Amino acid sequence: MTNVREQLKEYAAKLVQSGLVVGAGGNLSMREDGYMYISPSGFDLQEIEEEQWVKVHIETGEVLSELKPSSEVLMHLECFRRRPDIDSVLHAHPSYSVGVSSAERDIPSMFPDFPAMIRNVKYLDYMIPTTHVLADAVAEVIEETDVVVMRNHGVLTVGKSMKEAYFFMQLTEEAAKVYTISNMVGNPRLLTEQECQDLRDLSSEKYRAKLLKDAQK
């Protein structure tokens, strides 16, 4: 079985290669027992070696590595503390999601996978990154959602696996991209709330698992 740090290295590279972050932007972490491993501060994500992921005690916040953890370490800790059901946290700066949300728009449902896989999205107005202020704001909403969009900043997703958290990030960005393109060529036709609910009712855990599997082919 692939260990936690191998998975983190794999998905850190995917984030950069897919354009969801640039250089040292963004951060990601995974839980292992009572600890988390998080990206170190100041590193280009695709250049982090397995031994460089920073180990942090989730309950106390004690850093157990020589390298400094990501400046968003407080936000990651709050996610793990509030959500014992997850083992992965991902924060990126996807262009379309930031663009749509910073125009004071919410990202709407325009194709089936988005409402089927993502039950709801929480939005936070801009606040200074890397602070207790942002970490506390995320803590207040993360129990109700797997996707938090931070206007003028980025997107945070959580999942039962890094594969799931990454897929949620991809879907959110794709939804924002489709909405942006649709606005450029005409009047977007959004899925109605009833259509979204029908998709949610359809999206059993088995269906959601199939979408996740198909996304990685």
Side-chain angles (χ1 to χ4, degrees):
M1 178 180 292
T2 305
N3 70 37
V4 163
R5 284 176 286 182
E6 287 176 338
Q7 291 181 64
L8 285 165
K9 181 174 174 61
E10 175 188 354
Y11 280 92
K14 284 185 177 183
L15 278 176
V16 177
Q17 292 161 9
S18 63
L20 291 167
V21 300
V22 177
N27 34 79
L28 62 165
S29 65
M30 289 186 70
R31 186 200 307 266
E32 186 173 67
D33 300 323
Y35 302 89
M36 73 172 183
Y37 286 93
I38 187 170
S39 45
S41 179
F43 279 63
D44 184 315
L45 289 185
Q46 62 185 343
E47 296 178 355
I48 304 171
E49 299 299 332
E50 283 185 35
E51 68 275 8
Q52 293 176 318
W53 294 91
V54 180
K55 187 176 183 179
V56 183
H57 191 265
I58 292 173
E59 183 177 352
T60 65
E62 180 185 3
V63 177
L64 301 170
S65 301
E66 291 185 7
L67 290 174
K68 183 179 178 181
S70 164
S71 57
E72 297 286 12
V73 61
L74 299 176
M75 186 168 68
H76 286 253
L77 286 171
E78 287 297 340
C79 289
F80 286 123
R81 290 166 180 168
R82 301 292 183 117
R83 292 286 301 275
D85 61 310
I86 65 163
D87 76 0
S88 300
V89 179
L90 182 55
H91 172 50
H93 306 144
S95 301
Y96 287 96
S97 298
V98 173
V100 170
S101 63
S102 299
E104 298 187 353
R105 305 282 185 89
D106 290 353
I107 301 169
S109 296
M110 295 186 66
F111 56 90
D113 288 3
F114 187 60
M117 290 295 293
I118 297 174
R119 304 309 175 100
N120 64 82
V121 178
K122 294 293 184 181
Y123 294 84
L124 298 177
D125 290 335
Y126 178 77
M127 52 195 77
I128 299 176
T130 78
T131 63
H132 272 291
V133 175
L134 179 58
D136 291 346
V138 170
E140 289 181 7
V141 300
I142 199 62
E143 292 178 89
E144 305 168 18
T145 186
D146 294 323
V147 179
V148 179
V149 175
M150 295 166 275
R151 302 187 195 277
N152 301 95
H153 182 180
V155 178
L156 178 139
T157 61
V158 300
K160 295 178 176 62
S161 65
M162 185 54 72
K163 179 179 179 180
E164 185 174 67
Y166 182 72
F167 187 39
F168 290 162
M169 183 70 70
Q170 287 180 302
L171 273 180
T172 301
E173 177 66 350
E174 183 68 13
K177 183 177 181 179
V178 169
Y179 180 54
T180 300
I181 294 171
S182 182
N183 267 301
M184 292 170 64
V185 300
N187 296 316
R189 193 277 185 186
L190 312 184
L191 296 179
T192 67
E193 181 53 39
Q194 184 59 55
E195 288 169 334
C196 290
Q197 188 56 53
D198 290 343
L199 288 162
R200 295 183 192 109
D201 293 341
L202 175 68
S203 62
S204 63
E205 287 303 315
K206 184 176 180 180
Y207 177 64
R208 286 163 60 86
K210 180 181 183 301
L211 287 176
L212 280 168
K213 183 177 180 180
D214 290 346
Q216 299 302 316
K217 289 182 178 178

